[in-house]
Amino acid sequence: MSSQKIILFSFFFSFFFSNAQENDSLPKKDYGRVYGGFESNAQWYLNDKEMGTIHPEDPIRSNSYLFVNYQIDKWTAGVQVEGYLKEALLNYNPNYEGVNLGTYFLNYKTSKLDLTAGHFYEQFGSGMLLRAWEARSLGINTAILGGRIVYRPSSAIKLTALYGQQRSGFKLSDGKIYGFDSDFLLTDALKLENADLSVGMSYVGRYEKTDIPEPNFNELTNSFSGRVNYSIYSFYSSLEYNYKSKDAVLDRISNTLNNDFIESGNAVLFNFGYSKQGLGIDATLRRTENMLFLSERVPTVEGDNTSLNYNDKVLNFAPALTKQHHSLLANIYVYQAQVGVDFKSPTILKAGETGGQIDLFYDFDKETVLGGKYGTKFSFNTSVWYNLPGEYQLTPSNYSTNFFGVGTKYYSDYNFEIKKKLSEKWHSGLVYINQYYNKPWIEDASSDVNANIIAGEVIYNIQDTKSIRFEGEHMWADADYKNWLGGTLEVDLNNKYSFYLLDMYNYGNDNPDKRNHYYNFGGAYRINATRIGLNYGRQRGGLVCVGGVCRFVPESTGLGLTISTSF
């Protein structure tokens, strides 16, 4: 189908049903309703002599999405048309090119039955076996094209079965995906008081033919999961175990399968905490071993990268369990979960990760020594991650891990934050962060980094809809880019207009030619459900992360335009 036909079809679809919906001459007849939205992110890349960046061959690019749903009674149908013109934004999956039909579905839903044919998104448990999802800012859309049945015989039971193939760009991966999930709420059956108990079990199978003449693994990879959640009064906890059957390990250097390196995978996730007014404690521990799970065993080569670099054809979901900082400088060294086997060199041999994260929140009451007139909010967070301990061998490839203990340290983050209301109009905040980043093990770089960051902010509320926010921050780092200075100014004039100016200055770089300012300024206009944003500035090269999942972006300079609306 040509791009012109797709666009005409989508707008005709929207126009026709919108008019049908607005025709109220027969008020007793239900014409259904149309809803959806449009989003576009455009960039004009420019040359920047100071940074040494040159605009690409097609300097004006955009990622655009038009999605339209029509609902009548128990039926819902939807389409999403996507346009990447002339190409997608820099370092997005090159399979996103031109204008095409991205997803489509037909759904029938009652109180007990939910049937979907076409594209759908799904997650089993924590997602360690299966998560099909969309994150446009990361260029991720791993929807499954096929069929899904969700059956709820009662409020305490949910059963899900699915089959399909995972989306990859505008095509499909070769692997066939089978899935079954179950959730059981046992609170009423066991007559528990002041407590909740639920259990769940999942199965995910991936079938893919292999070109290896005599494979030492089955073409069908089976994976299983079990989980339990329990809470009583202010305490809560959950435990999940995942297992992936034996399969050939991917050689990340040569991007090939090693038929003599066959291993199973597993993951354990444990979360517990306590929460009441003014106090919260939460801890999450996770151990993963060989849990890279792809809809195609061998990633597709895309120029100098593979599809894995674009989070493409990834079946499961393993976010980095670290604090998602809003500080500019704290996001220079961000951790990515190390869940798979990766033998990079004779000295860097990885089979997964083990570690965890702890959060503590406490509110000091008003009219106390530390609370003052308006009270004080304090939070502390720490996360630390290691390679799995054990014995590793590069040639022939082999490893044996210990379940308990830790190996080489990947990353750590210790931080605390204090938020204080100074008056009816003034608010303040202070953040301290200590980070360790093992760059040789995580990014194939030369040295690890120890960094200390301090950031302070003040907010002045002029009126209910007008405010000014300023944040200043500094990083002391002993290696890599060394020291940084950063600042952010945000102005909200009312519910419609907002402006910002930010800058990160790498003044401590050992290379004088790399002591750059990474500035950015812009604004946004909002009216009803529509937002228009315009910005100009520089993009620092490195990892950009959303919800603990990251993609790499190159350095660039340019003008950006974003438009989003819903109807």
Side-chain angles (χ1 to χ4, degrees):
M1 185 181 294
S2 68
S3 60
Q4 292 87 351
K5 289 181 179 178
I6 292 171
I7 294 175
L8 289 173
F9 168 76
S10 300
F11 278 103
F12 175 78
F13 184 90
S14 174
F15 176 80
F16 176 80
F17 285 112
S18 293
N19 279 273
Q21 179 175 292
E22 293 173 2
N23 185 358
D24 57 358
S25 60
L26 298 174
K28 294 183 179 181
K29 189 168 183 178
D30 183 10
Y31 290 98
R33 71 184 186 99
V34 173
Y35 61 96
F38 175 76
E39 176 182 331
S40 181
N41 300 285
Q43 191 77 19
W44 180 13
Y45 296 100
L46 302 170
N47 293 334
D48 191 326
K49 293 182 179 179
E50 185 179 356
M51 291 220 310
T53 57
I54 301 175
H55 67 71
E57 182 178 350
D58 295 315
I60 299 179
R61 304 184 176 195
S62 68
N63 296 2
S64 300
Y65 312 86
L66 171 66
F67 54 102
V68 182
N69 296 332
Y70 173 63
Q71 182 181 34
I72 182 168
D73 195 22
K74 299 178 176 64
W75 295 89
T76 304
V79 296
Q80 177 166 294
V81 178
E82 303 174 10
Y84 305 90
L85 300 173
K86 290 183 177 180
E87 298 181 39
L89 300 180
L90 284 180
N91 217 51
Y92 273 74
N93 189 337
N95 287 322
Y96 290 119
E97 185 176 9
V99 180
N100 212 325
L101 186 61
T103 61
Y104 53 88
F105 72 92
L106 178 65
N107 175 263
Y108 174 80
K109 187 175 183 179
T110 67
S111 59
K112 292 187 176 182
L113 194 62
D114 186 342
L115 306 176
T116 302
H119 290 88
F120 56 86
Y121 303 99
E122 185 58 81
Q123 177 171 323
F124 291 172
S126 69
M128 285 300 298
L129 293 189
L130 175 70
R131 189 190 191 195
W133 62 305
E134 181 183 33
R136 294 172 182 170
S137 59
L138 296 176
I140 296 175
N141 191 321
T142 58
I144 296 175
L145 176 60
R148 180 187 60 181
I149 302 173
V150 180
Y151 179 53
R152 296 179 175 86
S154 70
S155 60
I157 301 175
K158 178 185 175 183
L159 306 174
T160 303
L162 60 85
Y163 167 79
Q165 292 175 267
Q166 192 176 43
R167 180 184 174 186
S168 176
F170 289 122
K171 301 179 181 179
L172 297 174
S173 66
D174 290 337
K176 307 295 192 300
I177 310 304
Y178 308 85
F180 176 79
D181 184 65
S182 60
D183 278 307
F184 302 93
L185 182 61
L186 304 179
T187 304
D188 293 338
L190 299 178
K191 299 181 180 180
L192 301 178
E193 296 184 3
N194 303 311
D196 283 306
L197 175 64
S198 66
V199 297
M201 292 166 285
S202 304
Y203 165 79
V204 176
R206 178 211 53 205
Y207 176 79
E208 183 195 14
K209 291 184 178 181
T210 178
D211 295 331
I212 297 176
E214 296 182 2
N216 294 325
F217 55 91
N218 294 323
E219 292 182 327
L220 175 62
T221 304
N222 298 300
S223 61
F224 305 89
S225 174
R227 57 189 179 272
V228 58
N229 303 282
Y230 179 72
S231 63
I232 181 169
Y233 296 108
S234 298
F235 295 91
Y236 59 88
S237 63
S238 65
L239 176 65
E240 180 177 300
Y241 177 76
N242 301 270
Y243 173 80
K244 178 166 67 83
S245 65
K246 287 187 175 183
D247 199 13
V249 175
L250 176 69
D251 187 325
R252 297 284 293 276
I253 297 176
S254 64
N255 196 47
T256 59
L257 294 179
N258 188 339
N259 194 37
D260 296 320
F261 193 13
I262 312 297
E263 296 291 341
S264 62
N266 62 83
V268 180
L269 178 67
F270 181 43
N271 173 252
F272 61 94
Y274 173 83
S275 177
K276 72 171 188 178
Q277 185 175 1
L279 173 64
I281 303 173
D282 183 88
T284 304
L285 307 175
R286 185 174 71 190
R287 181 191 186 276
T288 63
E289 179 179 332
N290 188 27
M291 279 302 292
L292 180 66
F293 201 12
L294 308 178
S295 55
E296 287 183 9
R297 289 182 175 88
V298 180
T300 307
V301 177
E302 311 286 355
D304 295 331
N305 296 307
T306 71
S307 54
L308 194 55
N309 296 104
Y310 305 111
N311 296 293
D312 188 26
K313 303 178 184 177
V314 178
L315 271 179
N316 58 347
F317 178 67
L321 296 177
T322 61
K323 185 177 179 65
Q324 308 300 301
H325 293 288
H326 61 76
S327 161
L328 295 172
L329 304 183
N331 286 291
I332 292 178
Y333 300 109
V334 289
Y335 180 67
Q336 292 189 93
Q338 308 291 302
V339 298
V341 175
D342 193 0
F343 284 14
K344 295 184 176 183
S345 70
T347 57
I348 300 181
L349 306 172
K350 300 186 292 185
E353 68 175 12
T354 184
Q357 176 178 218
I358 298 175
D359 280 299
L360 170 65
F361 305 92
Y362 187 78
D363 293 345
F364 292 97
D365 292 334
K366 300 177 182 179
E367 307 299 340
T368 60
V369 175
L370 296 178
K373 182 178 180 180
Y374 298 97
T376 303
K377 296 181 179 295
F378 173 82
S379 64
F380 171 79
N381 168 274
T382 180
S383 57
V384 59
W385 294 95
Y386 302 87
N387 186 22
L388 301 180
E391 298 181 358
Y392 296 83
Q393 179 179 293
L394 180 62
T395 307
S397 297
N398 192 21
Y399 70 87
S400 176
T401 64
N402 303 323
F403 187 84
F404 296 104
V406 297
T408 300
K409 186 177 180 180
Y410 291 142
Y411 177 86
S412 66
D413 186 330
Y414 304 92
N415 60 84
F416 69 82
E417 182 174 8
I418 300 172
K419 287 188 174 293
K420 178 70 177 175
K421 182 178 178 180
L422 303 176
S423 69
E424 292 297 332
K425 292 184 177 294
W426 288 93
H427 298 253
S428 65
L430 178 67
V431 179
Y432 169 74
I433 305 165
N434 172 270
Q435 292 178 330
Y436 169 76
Y437 190 76
N438 193 335
K439 205 165 185 178
W441 281 67
I442 299 174
E443 292 188 25
D444 300 321
S446 58
S447 61
D448 52 1
V449 183
N450 291 280
N452 289 280
I453 304 165
I454 188 168
E457 70 170 3
V458 291
I459 301 173
Y460 178 61
N461 295 315
I462 304 171
Q463 295 176 356
D464 291 342
T465 59
K466 295 182 180 180
S467 65
I468 299 175
R469 173 182 175 270
F470 173 76
E471 182 175 22
E473 47 191 305
H474 188 275
M475 172 192 283
W476 294 266
D478 63 357
D480 201 29
Y481 300 112
K482 298 292 185 66
N483 294 354
W484 291 76
L485 184 66
T488 302
L489 177 65
E490 296 177 350
V491 179
D492 288 322
L493 296 181
N494 48 42
N495 292 329
K496 292 185 178 181
Y497 296 96
S498 62
F499 303 91
Y500 73 91
L501 169 67
L502 61 87
D503 186 26
M504 294 185 292
Y505 178 35
N506 188 201
Y507 75 92
N509 200 308
D510 290 336
N511 184 350
D513 295 332
K514 296 293 185 181
R515 295 172 185 171
N516 296 320
H517 284 271
Y518 295 90
Y519 54 81
N520 204 302
F521 58 90
Y525 172 72
R526 300 175 183 84
I527 179 169
N528 299 325
T530 300
R531 180 186 184 276
I532 302 173
L534 185 68
N535 72 284
Y536 174 81
R538 291 170 169 173
Q539 171 66 58
R540 177 188 62 83
L543 294 174
V544 172
C545 304
V546 176
V549 179
C550 307
R551 75 176 180 93
F552 177 81
V553 297
E555 288 192 342
S556 62
T557 301
L559 180 69
L561 173 66
T562 62
I563 302 174
S564 63
T565 188
S566 60
F567 54 86

